[in-house]
Coordinates of all heavy atoms in Angstrom, one line a residue:
S1675 N 101.5 96.0 124.6 CA 102.0 96.4 125.9 C 102.1 98.0 125.8 O 101.9 98.6 124.8 CB 103.3 95.8 126.2 OG 104.4 96.4 125.3
A1676 N 102.5 98.5 126.9 CA 102.6 100.0 127.0 C 103.8 100.5 126.1 O 103.8 101.7 125.7 CB 102.9 100.4 128.5
T1677 N 104.7 99.6 125.8 CA 105.9 100.1 125.0 C 105.8 99.5 123.6 O 106.5 99.9 122.7 CB 107.2 99.6 125.6 OG1 107.2 98.2 125.9 CG2 107.4 100.4 127.0
T1678 N 105.0 98.4 123.4 CA 104.8 97.9 122.1 C 103.3 97.7 121.8 O 102.8 96.6 121.8 CB 105.5 96.5 121.9 OG1 105.1 95.6 123.0 CG2 107.0 96.7 122.0
P1679 N 102.6 98.8 121.6 CA 101.1 98.7 121.4 C 100.8 98.2 120.0 O 101.6 97.9 119.1 CB 100.7 100.2 121.5 CG 101.9 101.0 121.1 CD 103.1 100.2 121.6
V1680 N 99.5 98.0 119.8 CA 99.0 97.5 118.5 C 98.1 98.6 117.9 O 97.6 99.5 118.5 CB 98.2 96.2 118.7 CG1 99.0 95.1 119.3 CG2 96.9 96.4 119.6
I1681 N 97.9 98.4 116.5 CA 96.9 99.1 115.8 C 95.9 98.0 115.3 O 96.3 97.3 114.4 CB 97.5 99.9 114.6 CG1 98.6 100.8 115.0 CG2 96.4 100.6 113.8 CD1 99.4 101.4 113.8
L1682 N 94.8 97.9 116.0 CA 93.9 96.8 115.8 C 92.7 97.4 114.9 O 91.9 98.2 115.4 CB 93.4 96.3 117.1 CG 92.5 95.0 117.0 CD1 93.3 93.8 116.4 CD2 92.0 94.6 118.4
V1683 N 92.6 96.9 113.7 CA 91.5 97.3 112.8 C 90.6 96.1 112.6 O 91.0 95.1 112.2 CB 92.0 97.8 111.4 CG1 90.9 98.2 110.5 CG2 93.0 99.0 111.6
I1684 N 89.3 96.3 113.0 CA 88.3 95.2 112.8 C 87.4 95.6 111.6 O 86.7 96.6 111.7 CB 87.5 95.0 114.1 CG1 88.4 94.6 115.2 CG2 86.4 93.9 113.8 CD1 88.7 95.7 116.1
E1685 N 87.5 94.8 110.6 CA 86.7 95.1 109.3 C 85.4 94.5 109.3 O 85.2 93.2 109.3 CB 87.6 94.6 108.1 CG 86.9 94.8 106.8 CD 87.7 94.1 105.7 OE1 89.0 94.1 105.7 OE2 87.1 93.5 104.7
D1686 N 84.3 95.3 109.3 CA 82.9 94.8 109.1 C 82.6 93.7 110.1 O 81.9 92.8 109.7 CB 82.7 94.4 107.7 CG 82.6 95.6 106.7 OD1 82.2 96.7 107.1 OD2 83.0 95.4 105.5
S1687 N 83.1 93.8 111.3 CA 82.9 92.7 112.2 C 82.8 93.2 113.7 O 83.1 94.4 113.9 CB 84.0 91.6 112.1 OG 84.1 91.1 110.8
N1688 N 82.4 92.3 114.6 CA 82.2 92.7 116.0 C 83.4 92.6 116.8 O 84.3 91.7 116.6 CB 81.0 91.9 116.6 CG 79.7 92.2 115.9 OD1 79.4 93.3 115.5 ND2 79.0 91.1 115.6
L1689 N 83.6 93.4 117.8 CA 84.6 93.3 118.8 C 84.0 93.0 120.2 O 83.1 93.7 120.6 CB 85.4 94.6 118.9 CG 86.5 94.7 120.0 CD1 87.6 93.7 119.8 CD2 87.0 96.2 120.1
Q1690 N 84.5 91.9 120.8 CA 84.1 91.5 122.1 C 85.3 91.4 123.1 O 86.2 90.7 122.8 CB 83.4 90.2 122.1 CG 83.1 89.5 123.4 CD 82.0 90.2 124.2 OE1 80.9 90.5 123.6 NE2 82.2 90.5 125.4
L1691 N 85.3 92.3 124.1 CA 86.3 92.2 125.2 C 85.7 91.6 126.4 O 84.8 92.2 127.0 CB 86.9 93.6 125.5 CG 88.0 94.1 124.5 CD1 87.4 94.5 123.2 CD2 88.7 95.3 125.1
N1692 N 86.3 90.4 126.8 CA 85.7 89.8 128.0 C 86.5 90.2 129.3 O 87.6 90.8 129.2 CB 85.8 88.3 127.8 CG 84.8 87.8 126.8 OD1 83.7 88.4 126.6 ND2 85.1 86.8 126.0
G1693 N 85.9 89.8 130.4 CA 86.4 90.3 131.7 C 87.9 90.3 131.9 O 88.6 89.3 131.8
G1694 N 88.4 91.5 132.3 CA 89.8 91.6 132.6 C 90.7 91.7 131.4 O 92.0 91.8 131.6
S1695 N 90.2 91.7 130.2 CA 91.1 91.9 129.0 C 91.5 93.3 128.9 O 90.9 94.2 129.3 CB 90.4 91.4 127.8 OG 89.2 92.1 127.6
L1696 N 92.6 93.5 128.2 CA 93.2 94.8 128.0 C 93.9 94.9 126.7 O 94.7 94.0 126.3 CB 94.3 95.0 129.2 CG 95.2 96.3 129.1 CD1 94.3 97.5 129.2 CD2 96.2 96.2 130.3
I1697 N 93.6 96.0 126.0 CA 94.3 96.3 124.7 C 95.1 97.6 124.8 O 94.5 98.6 125.2 CB 93.3 96.4 123.5 CG1 92.5 95.1 123.4 CG2 94.0 96.7 122.2 CD1 91.4 95.1 122.3
Y1698 N 96.3 97.6 124.5 CA 97.2 98.8 124.4 C 97.2 99.2 123.0 O 97.7 98.4 122.1 CB 98.6 98.5 124.9 CG 98.7 98.3 126.4 CD1 98.7 97.1 127.0 CD2 98.9 99.5 127.2 CE1 98.9 96.9 128.4 CE2 99.0 99.3 128.6 CZ 99.0 98.1 129.2 OH 99.2 97.9 130.5
G1699 N 96.8 100.4 122.7 CA 97.0 100.9 121.3 C 95.7 101.6 120.8 O 94.9 102.1 121.5
I1700 N 95.6 101.6 119.4 CA 94.5 102.1 118.7 C 93.6 101.0 118.3 O 94.0 100.0 117.7 CB 94.9 102.9 117.5 CG1 95.7 104.2 117.9 CG2 93.8 103.3 116.6 CD1 96.3 104.9 116.7
V1701 N 92.3 101.1 118.6 CA 91.3 100.1 118.2 C 90.3 100.9 117.2 O 89.7 101.9 117.6 CB 90.5 99.5 119.3 CG1 89.5 98.5 118.8 CG2 91.5 98.8 120.3

Side-chain angles (χ1 to χ4, degrees):
S1675 73
T1677 55
T1678 56
V1680 298
I1681 305 169
L1682 187 63
V1683 180
I1684 299 99
E1685 176 187 323
D1686 288 330
S1687 302
N1688 298 317
L1689 171 64
Q1690 169 73 49
L1691 277 74
N1692 291 324
S1695 59
L1696 172 62
I1697 299 177
Y1698 287 96
I1700 293 174
V1701 178

